[in-house]
Amino acid sequence: MSGSEIIDYAVLIPLMPFLAFPVILFLGRLFNGTPSWVRNAKEGGIIALTVMGASLVLTLLLIKEHMNKVGASDVFTWFESSWWNSETGAITTKVFGFGIYIDHLTVMLLFVAAFLCFLINIFSIGYMNTDPINDNRNHRFYAEFVLFCSGMLGMVLADSFLWLFIFWELMGLCSYLLIGFYYERPSAAYAAKKAFLTTRVGDVFLVIGLVMLWNLFEPYAGTQGALSYAVVFDPENIARVNSGDLQLALGMMFIGAVGKSAQFPLHVWLPDAMEGPTPVSALIHAATMVNAGLYIVARMFPFFMEAELGALSTLAIVIAVIGGITAVMAALIAFVQMDLKKVLAYSTMSQLAYIFTGLGSALWLANNGYDELAAFAMGASLFHLFNHAMAKGMLFMASGSVIHEMHHAHHEVAHHGHDDDHHDDHHDDHFDAQSMENMGGLASRMPITATAMFVGSMSIIGIPLIGGFWSKEGIIASAWKVALKEPIFLLPAMLILIGAGMTGFYMSRMWFMTFAGKPKTEVAEHVHEQTPWIPIPLVVLTFMTLSAIILAGMHAGKWLGDFESGHYTSFIDGIGYEMEHVFLNPDPFLLVLTYVAIGLSLVLGPSFAMALYGGSLDGDQKAKPWMQWAIDLSARVNKNSKFDNTEWANSSLATSLHKRLHFDDAYDAAMLKIVVGFAKLSAIFDSKFIDGVIKTIESTSQEASRRVRALTTGSARDYIMMTALGTLVIFILLWGVA
């Protein structure tokens, strides 16, 4: 297959998992419970893995082809429609098809989605197929899994906002199905409905925005679709449309992104989405769902570049402010969470908020003529999306590894060799394997998982030279560059700077509570890594996160931000430039800002976490050398600090944070008053009007039928009389007409 031919097969990247969906469902229903289906096919897991592997291979080939091209696009025409135009007297032809649009943004997010979906698939085989609760229903999980991946891959590759929306809604359906996978649990059913309804609020505004966008660009579409990127991103077309109307349309679309990426105030669904299996959490938080909102905002970049100078600045500021508010709010709530997965859920909200602030900065700079700064801010934002996806995918799978082994250990402790005298409250069926209050001291017992979570946490915190450090510093610097030009930007710039220290605290707290100190329960004492398949993606993603320094040296951020740039191969020169730019910046303000951010994230936040939650491992237990130093340091800080947390823990603020700042209460009230009220009105309308009309028609037809039936007496005399009357009537009518 030559390089020029690869893009012709790009449509197979989303198509293969889409077609695998009915295949897995059918085979699952046909062979469910049979030994070969369970052992060899892993209840559809091997089929899904094969398909996702093929999609990943095609993705890598497509990326290789694109590395030497800029803005390549190709359109697959499914069918053409022609009709007669009575006004012009000509035949009008419209092209309807699925197009493949390739640029730097497509390449990056396509790799993230395909790569992580493949690794999560591997993890799922170890996680889902070894838990008895999933027996005979894993085929449903894998079918919905590949459909979800197909939706994300198709959305990224689509060449129009119309197709983007179609795949966007496909992901929404799959998220509902997967979050509610354990639908027999009331909490899972509630979480699925909550996610579906909350994201639908955003989707309504997205549809409005797309309709407005179609109305703006339809006069200039020609034979192409009015929402095609080729039409809406054309600089001449952007210059023709009214900037105010364009800003309003993009603002409506942004609300859709807020819902999908769980930003304030449509964030309430994401923590509850943890009710789904852990592979679903990793899928939503790293590979698909939440990145879709970021993608649609990043796709707006050409509008801001080509629109009238300063005309779209207000929207850019709104995007950045929403990001700043969400970053701090989510970090605050993460402070008090005890559920391991929910800490990571709020971390996702906070880190996505960083990216929204970075995108807002990039869009403002682009719309105000600072093209070079805009490219830098855009590149930093997209690079952070990449780094966060790798780290967060690893963190969720690591949390799943902990939870999975905690479940196994609990079963072992509760049912093997323990009499009633040795039985404690944690051995019953109500034991919470996700609570960090039941963990502790796992660094020596789960070295691979602990290492993965250690590296992932450092990346999210922004420890120098690790993953997210390079991109997070770029976002903070870009926000402050805008703040120096636009004072209102001081708010999001200050919020994300404060958020750096907060991230250092809650991520360090999570790791120390889970892996440092002595085991808090007997269950934690019996934990050890034993499940195959699970460690594989953790090892791979650990190296991916650590290798971000290579991508930084290759100017990945610059490449992602400037769609007209080529690709960089000089690692030595690149890393030298990055090190000088970060640690020896000639701009005194940016130099001080960098070290303030490093101090907040590296020193202040982790120090408080060590003081509260640090401690030595149990007995002669030792972690791996690259982690043991952190545990020893935490033990010393914890021992020497006399920080009393009681007042804070019992404060009204802490109580409010435990209740998620009461947003969930407001959501429930809204659902009861609006949705339930609407449902009752719909029921009344259905019973009184719809059913009433149907029953009236039914009774009328029955009465007419009864009367007609009465005429069928069986008497020849009656039939002759009716025939004669009918003939007379016809004669009179004809005579009257004549």
Side-chain angles (χ1 to χ4, degrees):
M1 185 184 294
S2 66
S4 61
E5 295 176 338
I6 295 171
I7 197 169
D8 296 332
Y9 296 89
V11 71
L12 295 176
I13 296 173
L15 186 60
M16 286 189 295
F18 183 85
L19 295 177
F21 165 72
V23 172
I24 295 174
L25 276 183
F26 174 75
L27 294 178
R29 294 296 297 269
L30 192 63
F31 300 111
N32 205 14
T34 60
S36 61
W37 176 249
V38 174
R39 287 195 305 267
N40 301 328
K42 302 296 183 183
E43 298 185 73
I46 299 300
I47 300 173
L49 186 63
T50 303
V51 168
M52 295 315 306
S55 291
L56 177 59
V57 170
L58 274 176
T59 294
L60 294 174
L61 292 173
L62 189 63
I63 292 172
K64 180 178 179 294
E65 177 184 307
H66 175 74
M67 291 300 289
N68 298 316
K69 297 181 179 180
V70 177
S73 67
D74 194 20
V75 177
F76 294 84
T77 302
W78 284 358
F79 61 89
E80 295 183 355
S81 180
S82 302
W83 62 91
W84 177 260
N85 191 325
S86 59
E87 295 181 359
T88 61
I91 296 177
T92 301
T93 301
K94 279 280 187 180
V95 177
F96 299 91
F98 177 68
I100 301 296
Y101 187 85
I102 307 294
D103 61 6
H104 295 6
L105 176 59
T106 303
V107 163
M108 186 274 294
L109 209 52
L110 186 65
F111 173 77
V112 167
F115 183 64
L116 287 177
C117 284
F118 179 71
L119 292 181
I120 294 168
N121 200 151
I122 296 174
F123 175 83
S124 299
I125 294 174
Y127 188 93
M128 300 295 293
N129 295 73
T130 56
D131 195 337
I133 195 175
N134 301 320
D135 289 348
N136 298 324
R137 58 174 171 181
N138 277 319
H139 67 283
R140 179 163 60 85
F141 169 82
Y142 288 114
E144 294 165 359
F145 174 88
V146 293
L147 189 62
F148 204 161
C149 295
S150 174
M152 183 64 185
L153 295 169
M155 189 201 74
V156 173
L157 284 169
D159 74 329
S160 74
F161 282 111
L162 177 61
W163 276 106
L164 181 149
F165 177 74
I166 292 171
F167 286 110
W168 176 285
E169 290 302 311
L170 181 61
M171 281 195 291
L173 171 63
C174 293
S175 69
Y176 170 77
L177 295 173
L178 287 169
I179 293 170
F181 184 74
Y182 301 118
Y183 56 83
E184 68 276 8
R185 300 177 184 172
S187 57
Y190 172 81
K193 288 186 288 186
K194 190 175 186 176
F196 189 79
L197 291 173
T198 307
T199 54
R200 290 295 76 70
V201 172
D203 290 357
V204 169
F205 287 96
L206 175 59
V207 170
I208 295 172
L210 291 177
V211 171
M212 294 176 66
L213 203 67
W214 182 91
N215 187 58
L216 287 171
F217 287 94
E218 198 276 335
Y220 319 113
T223 60
Q224 296 175 301
L227 294 178
S228 170
Y229 295 159
V231 174
V232 299
F233 293 158
D234 188 321
E236 293 183 2
N237 292 341
I238 296 173
R240 291 171 179 170
V241 303
N242 182 275
S243 297
D245 294 338
L246 179 60
Q247 180 168 246
L248 184 59
L250 297 178
M252 295 293 110
M253 293 168 63
F254 169 65
I255 297 175
V258 167
K260 212 71 161 183
S261 295
Q263 298 294 287
F264 173 85
L266 299 178
H267 63 279
V268 294
W269 68 270
L270 193 60
D272 292 289
M274 300 301 101
E275 288 291 336
T278 299
V280 175
S281 303
L283 193 65
I284 290 175
H285 289 252
T288 58
M289 191 90 163
V290 296
N291 288 335
L294 296 169
Y295 176 76
I296 202 171
V297 174
R299 267 285 166 244
M300 297 178 185
F301 192 71
F303 294 119
F304 287 79
M305 284 289 292
E306 304 298 337
E308 183 182 349
L309 204 67
L312 308 182
S313 295
T314 302
L315 177 58
I317 294 170
V318 170
I319 293 171
V321 169
I322 292 293
I325 293 172
T326 308
V328 171
M329 179 197 69
L332 275 171
I333 299 175
F335 279 9
V336 300
Q337 296 299 310
M338 290 298 175
D339 187 298
L340 183 57
K341 287 171 63 176
K342 287 188 177 179
V343 174
L344 294 175
Y346 282 105
S347 170
T348 296
M349 290 166 54
S350 185
Q351 295 305 305
L352 294 181
Y354 268 90
I355 302 171
F356 270 110
T357 301
L359 290 174
S361 304
L363 297 177
W364 190 94
L365 290 165
N367 193 228
N368 286 273
Y370 303 98
D371 293 354
E372 186 174 348
L373 293 177
F376 175 82
M378 176 62 69
S381 302
L382 296 180
F383 194 24
H384 197 60
L385 191 158
F386 176 89
N387 290 327
H388 173 262
M390 296 297 138
K392 193 54 60 72
M394 178 169 60
L395 286 167
F396 266 108
M397 284 187 275
S399 72
S401 176
V402 171
I403 295 165
H404 191 272
E405 302 305 345
M406 286 284 290
H407 273 299
H408 276 251
H410 171 244
H411 183 270
E412 178 185 338
V413 170
H415 299 96
H416 296 87
H418 295 276
D419 56 30
D420 294 337
D421 294 334
H422 201 64
H423 193 279
D424 64 35
D425 293 337
H426 298 296
H427 296 162
D428 59 24
D429 292 334
H430 299 290
F431 178 79
D432 188 356
Q434 297 186 188
S435 176
M436 295 184 294
E437 294 178 299
N438 295 329
M439 301 175 186
L442 301 184
S444 59
R445 295 172 169 83
M446 303 185 70
I448 297 175
T449 302
T451 300
M453 192 162 278
F454 187 72
V455 173
S457 297
M458 288 195 295
S459 179
I460 298 298
I461 291 171
I463 302 299
L465 309 185
I466 303 292
F469 166 76
W470 306 101
S471 48
K472 181 178 282 189
E473 293 302 312
I475 289 175
I476 293 173
S478 297
W480 278 94
K481 285 178 181 178
V482 179
L484 296 176
K485 305 176 189 304
E486 175 60 66
I488 198 170
F489 243 85
L490 282 170
L491 175 61
M494 184 62 71
L495 287 174
I496 62 171
L497 187 60
I498 295 170
M502 299 171 75
T503 303
F505 174 78
Y506 71 72
M507 291 302 297
S508 300
R509 168 183 178 268
M510 177 195 69
W511 195 88
F512 288 121
M513 287 190 72
T514 305
F515 297 102
K518 295 175 174 54
K520 303 180 183 68
T521 60
E522 189 179 357
V523 173
E525 294 175 357
H526 288 75
V527 167
H528 56 280
E529 289 174 328
Q530 60 181 343
T531 307
W533 296 86
I534 287 179
I536 298 173
L538 298 182
V539 173
V540 173
L541 286 172
T542 297
F543 284 103
M544 283 294 297
T545 301
L546 292 173
S547 66
I549 188 173
I550 299 175
L551 295 175
M554 295 175 65
H555 291 210
K558 185 176 181 180
W559 185 78
L560 287 169
D562 184 3
F563 292 0
E564 298 301 319
S565 64
H567 94 266
Y568 301 85
T569 57
S570 180
F571 171 71
I572 301 299
D573 293 341
I575 197 64
Y577 170 83
E578 290 292 339
M579 296 291 284
E580 181 182 356
H581 178 77
V582 172
F583 298 107
L584 298 171
N585 198 305
D587 188 330
F589 177 78
L590 293 179
L591 183 65
V592 171
L593 183 67
T594 296
Y595 282 98
V596 168
I598 293 174
L600 289 172
S601 58
L602 178 60
V603 179
L604 187 63
S607 296
F608 274 110
M610 291 179 187
L612 290 171
Y613 306 104
S616 301
L617 297 179
D618 191 20
D620 59 350
Q621 296 285 321
K622 290 289 184 182
K624 296 297 182 182
W626 51 84
M627 295 182 291
Q628 186 61 46
W629 68 269
I631 293 173
D632 293 339
L633 178 62
S634 76
R636 288 197 296 270
V637 173
N638 181 266
K639 184 179 180 180
N640 296 328
S641 68
K642 305 297 181 183
F643 185 71
D644 186 4
N645 193 41
T646 306
E647 186 176 349
W648 151 255
N650 296 326
S651 67
S652 57
L653 176 58
T655 303
S656 184
L657 292 175
H658 273 291
K659 294 182 178 180
R660 307 182 191 180
L661 295 175
H662 307 283
F663 281 108
D664 291 83
D665 297 336
Y667 169 86
D668 290 336
M671 290 299 101
L672 288 173
K673 291 181 179 180
I674 299 174
V675 177
V676 175
F678 179 77
K680 288 180 178 179
L681 288 174
S682 298
I684 294 172
F685 178 79
D686 183 63
S687 62
K688 299 297 185 183
F689 182 77
I690 303 297
D691 286 353
V693 170
I694 293 173
K695 288 178 180 178
T696 301
I697 295 172
E698 181 187 10
S699 61
T700 303
S701 62
Q702 287 181 348
E703 179 63 22
S705 180
R706 187 186 63 80
R707 293 182 180 275
V708 171
R709 199 166 52 247
L711 297 174
T712 58
T713 61
S715 172
R717 184 183 60 185
D718 293 340
Y719 293 153
I720 293 171
M721 181 62 71
M722 286 188 284
T723 303
L725 288 173
T727 304
L728 180 62
V729 169
I730 294 172
F731 176 78
I732 293 172
L733 290 173
L734 292 174
W735 181 70
V737 171

